[in-house]
Amino acid sequence: MANSLLQVQNLSINFIADGIVTNAVKGISFEVATGEIIAIVGESGSGKSVTALSLLQLLPKQANIKGEMLFSKNETAPVDLLNLSAKEINTIRGKDIAMIFQEPMTSLNPVFTCGYQVMETIQLHQQISSSAAKEKTIKLFKKVKLPAPAEMVNRYPHQLSGGQKQRVIIAMAMSCNPSLLIADEPTTALDVTVQKAILLLIKELQKQTGLGVIFITHDLGLVADIADKVVVMYKGEIIEQGITKDVLQNPQQPYTRALLACRTAKHRRGERLPVVNDFFSVAAKDYTVKFKSVLSDETKTKEAIPSPLRNETTENNLLKNNNASLVLKVENLKIHYPVKKKLFKKNIELFKAVDDVSLEVYKGETVGLVGESGCGKTTLGRAILQLIPATSGNIILDGRNLAMLSRRDLQPLRKDLQIVFQDPYGSLNPRLMIGNAIIEPMKVHGILNSTSQRKEKVIELLEKVNLSADHFNRYPHQFSGGQRQRICIARALSLNPSFLIFDESVSALDVSVQAQVLNLLNNLKKEFGFTSIFISHDLSVVRYISDRILVMSKGKIVEEGLADEVYFSPKNEYTKKLIDAIPGKIILG
């Protein structure tokens, strides 16, 4: 390849633990040219991150790596990254090849300022003074479009938003003018608007400096916005690669088609989302992808962009039905926090997290609550559940004003109000088997009369969320992210609640796993008949799962209406901005 920057040839990676060999990567080959962005796409466990980490020798000692990874900076003689000593790879790592990790908070040291951490990287590879390193850091912060870059140098990670922290990581990665940048899921769980800004920033930096980029993601929508070429991985193998537009508009492999079809933006509200298993079966020996001849007509609609026409259920929405039962009414709710205007100053001002919000939710409805981080949506959800106090206003559930009740009076109502959080691993006790984690709230609220009855109920719930009785005695770390989220849903349903709040409960999942969870929620809603509020920053997901949508910005509801009306015919400029920021919207529909 002309101007070849990186050639990966026949790369295989095996992990050996307790005598068991796991084949993580199986003889893959791809190339990256100077000034080119290559996207590696696949579900969790496909081998994409392991491949990237192997380039910088960041895998544990248990990894057995074979093949060639030829890196050639400025068309110099290529070196095999696999054969370099620890001292030699340290001269390349961070200088010639830089990496942006998925979670910026864990990539930054909380006890050092952001500026110090970037300066440290600069001085490690360049012989310059502290003042020169600080000056360069400020220029880098300006380049990555951080506000007030001179002030950001002195701020700690906890004082920055998620998007700002990710920009600091990008500045750190770009500080030594690398030839190759590896971006490993750099926008997962970020707001769509922040996500779009980060993608544009990486693209802009790539054009300015001519560096090559390996962009790792599970979302083909992001690929449409940034990549020149796509490499699709499945279970350690490359099953398809080519020019981005060709792969997205005419995918050759059913697995690639499945990843495209799982996206909620391509489907009418409430219809069953296709999942990967609808598109292929796995041969016992060779992962040959095959079409299933049993695809339903519903799944075959993956090629069509949904029209804005509402179905009969939506036209007869509960909101329009005078006989509908009002479950929740929020009146003029305000949640204000006192904050210091400047560090070490005494002057205090109020931060209006929720500012005079009113809303109604009817029995059996799913109301979507959408907005960027900091808009107040999660604060509003937690206030409804009485997890945080309101400054003023009323929260009336089934005729009772929760804001006026004591903690003792609230306790019997807790079982009717449940929440599913964004991070399922953080929601589960790592020392508690998942069966016991589901039984625990049942004991607290006196559901059923004996341990054996509760165990039967738990097994029934596990089967309803597509898990099995065998999972009862397993611990959280033994499950995937999607499975853990199903466990949290089963735990929330164990009390048979009438009202559920889903707080960003699918935002960090692979699109294929996200489709499975959303299908599950639709099925459970039909069976259990619960009323719910679905909180997310992704309007396409909210539109798919909700009957109505409320759009929040800076603590206020700025737009509301039927789901399809808000999504296809937004009236507020902020809503239009959220929709325009949906990744891959133009090329993928």
Side-chain angles (χ1 to χ4, degrees), residues 29 53 74 91 103 185 191 211 253 278 283 356 395 406 527 542:
S29 300
L53 291 171
N74 299 328
T91 63
E103 177 46 64
E185 299 272 15
D191 297 343
L211 79 163
Q253 287 289 343
D278 292 332
D356 199 25
I395 302 168
S406 66
E527 181 174 350
V542 171

Side-chain angles (χ1 to χ4, degrees), residues 57 75 101 126 162 194 238 266 270 317 364 386 403 412 437 471 481 499 504:
Q57 295 188 16
E75 300 185 32
F101 293 96
Q126 301 174 31
V194 178
I238 293 176
K266 295 178 70 68
N317 190 278
Q386 294 297 288
H471 293 132
F499 199 99
E504 297 278 14

Side-chain angles (χ1 to χ4, degrees), residues 211-232:
L211 79 163
V213 179
I214 297 176
F215 188 87
I216 298 170
T217 182
H218 62 258
D219 190 348
L220 275 168
L222 297 181
V223 169
D225 292 330
I226 194 171
D228 300 304
K229 293 181 180 178
V230 180
V231 174
V232 182

Side-chain angles (χ1 to χ4, degrees), residues 315-385:
E315 288 290 354
N316 294 318
N317 190 278
L318 290 167
L319 182 65
K320 304 296 184 180
N321 186 347
N322 292 330
N323 296 321
S325 174
L326 181 64
V327 174
L328 175 71
K329 186 173 185 178
V330 176
E331 297 178 327
N332 307 113
L333 189 68
K334 295 180 181 180
I335 303 171
H336 298 169
Y337 297 111
V339 293
K340 287 186 177 181
K341 195 170 183 180
K342 288 187 178 180
L343 199 61
F344 306 121
K345 297 288 185 180
K346 292 184 178 180
N347 49 328
I348 303 293
E349 64 179 22
L350 288 177
F351 171 65
K352 299 178 180 179
V354 176
D355 190 15
D356 199 25
V357 166
S358 298
L359 61 91
E360 295 179 344
V361 183
Y362 291 82
K363 187 175 177 59
E365 247 192 334
T366 297
V367 173
L369 189 59
V370 68
E372 297 172 286
S373 291
C375 72
K377 58 186 187 297
T378 293
T379 303
L380 174 59
R382 295 189 179 195
I384 290 171
L385 293 172

Side-chain angles (χ1 to χ4, degrees), residues 146 159 181 206 357 419 575:
L146 277 167
Q159 295 175 302
L181 177 66
Q206 178 262 333
V357 166
I419 185 169
T575 310

Side-chain angles (χ1 to χ4, degrees), residues 78-93:
V79 295
D80 190 344
L81 299 174
L82 184 58
N83 294 329
L84 296 181
S85 66
K87 185 176 180 180
E88 289 171 327
I89 195 68
N90 277 337
T91 63
I92 291 177
R93 190 189 292 150

